Amino acid sequence: MQLPVLLVMMLFTNCEKQTDGREYRFSGAITVDGRTRYFLLNLPPGYYEAPGKFPLVIGLHGAAGSGSQFELDYRFTQKANNAKFIAVYPDGVRSEGLLGLRFWNAGYCCNYASEHNINDVKFISELIDKLVRDYKADPKRVYAAGMSNGGMMAYRLACELPDKIAAIAAVSSTMVQTQACNPSRAVPVIHLHSALDTKVPYYGGVGLADYYYPPVDSVLNVWASKNNCTAAPQVIRDDAQYRLTEWPACGNGALMQCYLTKDGGHAWPGGRKSRDKADEPSTVINANDLIWDFFQRFSL
């Protein structure tokens, strides 16, 4: 019993040092609109010695999740350390209920954040500014990856912060934007989903918390139009494991991809179940690898 407990304590300590005695993983906070907003930051090995700047990936948790949950369940810091990028895991605002669940205001979803019109776009914008100013984050290589409600938030960031977000990834998600979406540039998009997802159904419908979720195909077709993709979508692979569709020839060299798996459910492919009754993650693709390979292609 002692070894697992020690491992958990090491993973969740607020300030984590490597053998050189420097801090590489710690918690932080900023004040936005009079509200304290929290985040967890991880710097990759070699950060302090490197002369240049590092890519920054923003990991946006799903409804009722947290930044630390995103990091742990999706094994994202392991990918960040291996690939040498900075990872930041911000927290959504807690609800006022007994459980204090966290949500993002991605439009008409979800819950407390949407109902109270929390300005999460401003929070993420100011968080980016801080990390560019105080750390070696490259402002031209900032990316957003989100799960479920976090993926919805990533779509909103693509709409409203295209000058700061180089590309987005949405997992088990859709777009629930309520304001006009008119990005000033083509934003590369990679979307990962399971055909078996009943919580945010790929083909649209009522799911989690009785919200209606638009079909992902429709969302991607809208983005193809906004991104000035001149060629029709192409099915690159379609077999018993997954279907990969690409929208090539988009404006400014942008690309759009959609992986639709035949296994899994409402979960992060290649990750672990966040709780006993959660859906099984897809095993035919690995979200971390696909997302990072995609992000590396693009910069502002």
Side-chain angles (χ1 to χ4, degrees):
M1 290 296 292
Q2 289 184 342
L3 181 58
V5 170
L6 287 173
L7 288 175
V8 170
M9 290 177 64
M10 290 174 63
L11 181 60
F12 285 101
T13 182
N14 285 343
C15 296
E16 186 170 297
K17 297 181 180 181
Q18 295 190 357
T19 55
D20 60 8
R22 293 167 169 169
E23 294 180 2
Y24 286 83
R25 181 185 178 279
F26 44 89
S27 300
I30 60 174
T31 301
V32 181
D33 293 336
R35 185 188 297 266
T36 302
R37 304 298 304 267
Y38 300 96
F39 62 91
L40 179 64
L41 184 68
N42 186 81
L43 307 175
Y47 169 85
Y48 292 99
E49 294 77 19
K53 295 183 179 296
F54 289 79
L56 168 66
V57 179
I58 305 165
L60 300 165
H61 64 77
S66 67
S68 59
Q69 171 268 319
F70 185 108
E71 179 194 37
L72 178 64
D73 289 341
Y74 311 150
R75 304 183 175 98
F76 206 76
T77 284
Q78 180 180 350
K79 181 64 180 181
N81 286 342
N82 290 338
K84 300 296 192 295
F85 61 82
I86 299 171
V88 64
Y89 310 103
D91 281 341
V93 170
R94 284 185 178 275
S95 67
E96 295 175 341
L98 289 176
L99 297 178
L101 303 179
R102 300 177 180 88
F103 302 91
W104 299 106
N105 178 11
Y108 64 76
C109 175
C110 288
N111 200 280
Y112 181 89
S114 175
E115 293 167 2
H116 290 76
N117 197 28
I118 301 299
N119 196 339
D120 283 320
V121 173
K122 184 177 180 181
F123 167 41
I124 298 301
S125 179
E126 294 192 6
L127 177 59
I128 293 170
D129 291 344
K130 175 179 177 58
L131 299 181
V132 167
R133 180 181 65 248
D134 297 346
Y135 299 90
K136 294 191 288 188
D138 186 346
K140 295 186 178 298
R141 293 184 293 165
V142 177
Y143 313 96
M147 168 67 189
S148 191
N149 179 217
M152 300 171 199
M153 189 65 210
Y155 275 119
R156 183 167 188 180
L157 295 176
C159 289
E160 300 184 35
L161 292 181
D163 58 328
K164 290 187 174 183
I165 303 291
I168 68 161
V171 179
S172 302
S173 183
T174 187
M175 190 167 77
V176 292
Q177 188 84 356
T178 54
Q179 301 177 357
C181 178
N182 296 303
S184 57
R185 52 175 281 272
V187 181
V189 174
I190 181 171
H191 189 110
L192 288 70
H193 218 112
S194 168
L196 305 179
D197 189 342
T198 60
K199 296 179 174 66
V200 179
Y202 179 86
Y203 297 102
V206 176
L208 280 173
D210 291 329
Y211 286 103
Y212 171 78
Y213 299 104
V216 173
D217 283 345
S218 297
V219 169
L220 294 175
N221 285 332
V222 167
W223 269 102
S225 176
K226 294 183 181 300
N227 282 343
N228 299 314
C229 303
T230 57
Q234 302 175 3
V235 176
I236 307 301
R237 171 175 170 170
D238 192 0
D239 55 26
Q241 293 184 320
Y242 64 86
R243 183 180 75 203
L244 168 60
T245 306
E246 287 190 352
W247 286 255
C250 302
N252 299 323
L255 175 69
M256 295 173 52
Q257 291 183 332
C258 178
Y259 287 83
L260 180 64
T261 67
K262 312 297 175 65
D263 71 336
H266 191 71
W268 188 271
R272 71 173 201 172
K273 292 174 63 172
S274 56
R275 59 188 184 282
D276 288 342
K277 294 184 179 181
D279 291 352
E280 292 287 345
S282 170
T283 60
V284 300
I285 61 174
N286 183 288
N288 293 346
D289 293 342
L290 291 174
I291 289 170
W292 179 240
D293 288 347
F294 185 83
F295 283 169
Q296 289 185 89
R297 302 186 191 188
F298 307 104
S299 65
L300 293 176

